[in-house]
Amino acid sequence: MSLMTILTLLVSSMLIYASPLILTSIGGTFSERSGIVNVGLEGIMVMGAFAGIIFNLSFSDVLGDATPWIATLVGGLVGIVFSLLHAIATVNLRADHIVSGTVLNLMAPALSVFLVKAFYGKGQTDNIQEAFGKFDFPVLSQIPILGDIFFKGTSLVAYVAIAISFLSWYVLYKTTFGLRLRSVGEHPQAADTLGINVYRMRYYGVMISGFLGGMGGAVYAQSISVNFAASTILGPGFIALAAMIFGKWNPMGAMLSSLFFGISQSLAVIGNQLPLLSKIPTVYLQMAPYVLTIIVLAVFFGQAVGPKAAGKNYIKSK
């Protein structure tokens, strides 16, 4: 196998696995920048995947090629609704953020599988017919070498996710909304004295995380699993959480970290096709993403400094 073939295969597979991680980790960044720790990203992804697959199966005959894109937006909307449970619990009821997020992670798989059985009479859905396929960029795919590696037979939704990371960075660091969101995550009392509605901004942060996390789940289901079952989302939400921490709560850092984790996930699938990895047992390659997640959290979590008010409930009277 030539070096060009290896690079093309590796980059293409990396982008497919990284795209849902990029969206979800950026969503977590918005939530934590507002001061709400959201470990419920896994549960949000589950609900987004469930909604995306159900919508895809129901409307693919009508919407055709546009189905997975619209289904992704539907998954994002369902993610918003589901994330509101976390917002109400942490902002209004002042619940512990970790406990509330854990409840989301426990609730989502049970609820989604129950609904699948109610709709289809079995534990998983049928495979979708309209999924995210491979895309050739006009003009760019004709560039020698780089075109074959990055722009031919690649994942369009991954480049959309990368574009969203740039947009998210601009929103967080170059707009009034981003400044207000970050201020309530750093010093909510000071933000409140300046007339910023701390509760409202924290709701916005959690809802954005729900939207992007739901989109991430829908993208994962429509590009990797192509159906929904209890085992569709098992771990990517936690990997996205690690990518957010590794990226130091910055959308660009989260995107780059997600690409790194995307490589590790893709190797579990294409490792047997690569000369250097073909002799390694598949089980070790499948373990690699989760081992890397543990290592990253162990090495960088103690050094990483997140928003100062993250995880701390705000009481306006104080």
Side-chain angles (χ1 to χ4, degrees), residues 221-240:
Q222 294 179 100
S223 58
I224 298 173
S225 67
V226 301
N227 72 349
F228 182 83
S231 59
T232 296
I233 303 292
L234 285 178
F238 297 109
I239 294 176

Side-chain angles (χ1 to χ4, degrees), residues 20-21 24 41-50 105 108-109 112 213-222 224-225 227-238 290:
L21 300 180
T24 307
L41 294 175
E42 178 90 356
I44 293 173
M45 286 189 73
V46 170
M47 296 308 298
F50 164 76
N105 291 335
S112 57
M215 287 179 62
V219 168
Y220 189 98
Q222 294 179 100
I224 298 173
S225 67
N227 72 349
F228 182 83
S231 59
T232 296
I233 303 292
L234 285 178
F238 297 109
Y290 307 102

Side-chain angles (χ1 to χ4, degrees), residues 16 52-53 56-57 60 64-72 127-135 154-157 218-227:
I16 291 173
I53 291 295
N56 192 308
L57 290 171
S60 60
D65 293 341
T67 304
W69 296 98
I70 299 175
T72 298
N127 289 347
I128 59 175
Q129 300 302 314
E130 297 289 343
F132 286 112
K134 294 185 177 180
F135 180 79
T154 189
S155 171
L156 178 58
V157 70
V219 168
Y220 189 98
Q222 294 179 100
S223 58
I224 298 173
S225 67
V226 301
N227 72 349

Side-chain angles (χ1 to χ4, degrees), residues 178-234:
L179 177 61
R180 291 177 176 177
L181 188 78
R182 288 184 289 118
S183 69
V184 301
E186 293 291 340
H187 203 305
Q189 287 84 2
D192 197 2
T193 59
L194 294 174
I196 298 173
N197 191 319
V198 175
Y199 293 165
R200 181 186 300 168
M201 294 308 299
R202 288 190 165 184
Y203 260 88
Y204 287 158
V206 175
M207 290 171 68
I208 292 173
S209 77
F211 182 67
L212 292 177
M215 287 179 62
V219 168
Y220 189 98
Q222 294 179 100
S223 58
I224 298 173
S225 67
V226 301
N227 72 349
F228 182 83
S231 59
T232 296
I233 303 292
L234 285 178

Side-chain angles (χ1 to χ4, degrees), residues 22-271:
I22 293 173
L23 293 169
T24 307
S25 62
I26 293 175
T29 299
F30 273 96
S31 180
E32 300 217 5
R33 279 294 179 182
S34 72
I36 303 296
V37 173
N38 193 353
V39 299
L41 294 175
E42 178 90 356
I44 293 173
M45 286 189 73
V46 170
M47 296 308 298
F50 164 76
I53 291 295
I54 296 298
F55 183 89
N56 192 308
L57 290 171
S58 302
F59 294 97
S60 60
D61 293 339
V62 178
L63 299 174
D65 293 341
T67 304
W69 296 98
I70 299 175
T72 298
L73 295 177
V74 171
L77 294 176
V78 172
I80 290 177
V81 174
F82 196 65
S83 68
L84 283 174
L85 298 174
H86 187 53
I88 293 171
T90 54
V91 177
N92 297 104
L93 303 180
R94 300 167 190 164
D96 183 275
H97 298 199
I98 303 299
V99 173
S100 177
T102 302
V103 170
L104 294 187
N105 291 335
L106 295 174
M107 181 190 304
L111 175 60
S112 57
V113 170
F114 170 78
L115 292 175
V116 166
K117 288 184 178 180
F119 294 158
Y120 296 95
K122 54 184 179 179
Q124 65 181 35
T125 66
D126 299 327
N127 289 347
I128 59 175
Q129 300 302 314
E130 297 289 343
F132 286 112
K134 294 185 177 180
F135 180 79
D136 293 339
F137 281 88
V139 182
L140 294 177
S141 61
Q142 304 303 316
I143 299 176
I145 302 177
L146 292 179
D148 290 333
I149 296 174
F150 294 101
F151 303 114
K152 182 179 292 185
T154 189
S155 171
L156 178 58
V157 70
Y159 284 94
V160 172
I162 292 172
I164 289 175
S165 68
F166 282 93
L167 177 62
S168 298
W169 178 87
Y170 181 83
V171 169
L172 269 180
Y173 293 100
K174 299 297 181 179
T175 67
T176 302
F177 173 83
L179 177 61
R180 291 177 176 177
L181 188 78
R182 288 184 289 118
S183 69
V184 301
E186 293 291 340
H187 203 305
Q189 287 84 2
D192 197 2
T193 59
L194 294 174
I196 298 173
N197 191 319
V198 175
Y199 293 165
R200 181 186 300 168
M201 294 308 299
R202 288 190 165 184
Y203 260 88
Y204 287 158
V206 175
M207 290 171 68
I208 292 173
S209 77
F211 182 67
L212 292 177
M215 287 179 62
V219 168
Y220 189 98
Q222 294 179 100
S223 58
I224 298 173
S225 67
V226 301
N227 72 349
F228 182 83
S231 59
T232 296
I233 303 292
L234 285 178
F238 297 109
I239 294 176
L241 188 65
M244 176 198 68
I245 296 171
F246 192 22
K248 297 185 177 180
W249 292 269
N250 183 300
M252 300 303 297
M255 181 264 290
L256 294 174
S257 300
S258 296
L259 291 174
F260 169 73
F261 284 114
I263 291 178
S264 66
Q265 284 192 300
S266 66
L267 290 179
V269 178
I270 66 171

